[in-house]
Amino acid sequence: MSLLLYYNEEQYQTADAVKQEIENAEGISIRTEIASFQGFTKAEDYHQKYYLKRFPHAIAHLSSLFTDHQEMVNSTLAARLNGLVKGYGTMEEIKRDLTNWGLTEEEENKVIECINTIRW
């Protein structure tokens, strides 16, 4: 089941209009629910970084950068790498974006060294 969450009336109106426009143009019924955002509940641990977990070697390397498993799972780096292995983005984009994550130069270099050693 798909779900589209909105924060305000303007977002609801936009989502509903686009949904109806597609339905009319394609002659289909879209079953995506449009609902008010009430908050997120974190998925169970076995769902966290699902695609990245297919690379245990990568998880082992990444773990060296964090104090514990939960810190790694919650990191921007793990989220970006999870997307990467699913086919979203590139390693070059991740390396370039490191400068926006508030890391020191030493930390950035450590991250780059770590991800360069991972065999995908």
Side-chain angles (χ1 to χ4, degrees):
M1 180 175 158
S2 62
L3 172 66
L4 192 149
L5 300 173
Y6 63 88
Y7 283 102
N8 57 43
E9 186 63 24
E10 179 183 359
Q11 288 181 342
Y12 170 76
Q13 295 297 330
T14 300
D16 190 53
V18 169
K19 179 180 173 185
Q20 290 193 23
E21 181 180 313
I22 294 170
E23 287 178 335
N24 292 337
E26 301 293 326
I28 59 172
S29 176
I30 297 176
R31 298 186 335 196
T32 298
E33 180 182 350
I34 301 173
S36 175
F37 174 78
Q38 301 298 316
F40 284 107
T41 302
K42 217 173 199 180
E44 294 85 358
D45 189 55
Y46 64 91
H47 288 297
Q48 299 297 327
K49 309 307 174 271
Y50 180 80
Y51 297 102
L52 187 57
K53 286 180 181 177
R54 295 178 180 185
F55 297 88
H57 177 75
I59 296 290
H61 276 280
L62 291 174
S63 294
S64 70
L65 298 174
F66 301 96
T67 57
D68 61 38
H69 176 74
Q70 201 57 47
E71 183 183 30
M72 192 252 324
V73 167
N74 292 339
S75 73
T76 300
L77 179 60
R80 292 293 302 275
L81 292 173
N82 188 63
L84 175 77
V85 297
K86 178 61 176 150
Y88 300 104
T90 66
M91 189 63 76
E92 291 72 32
E93 289 172 330
I94 293 172
K95 289 177 183 178
R96 188 178 58 241
D97 290 348
L98 283 173
T99 59
N100 300 321
W101 296 356
L103 302 173
T104 66
E105 185 176 342
E106 181 182 342
E107 291 168 330
E108 281 185 37
N109 291 334
K110 189 174 179 181
V111 168
I112 290 171
E113 181 182 328
C114 177
I115 61 179
N116 281 340
T117 63
I118 298 172
R119 294 182 312 267
W120 301 101

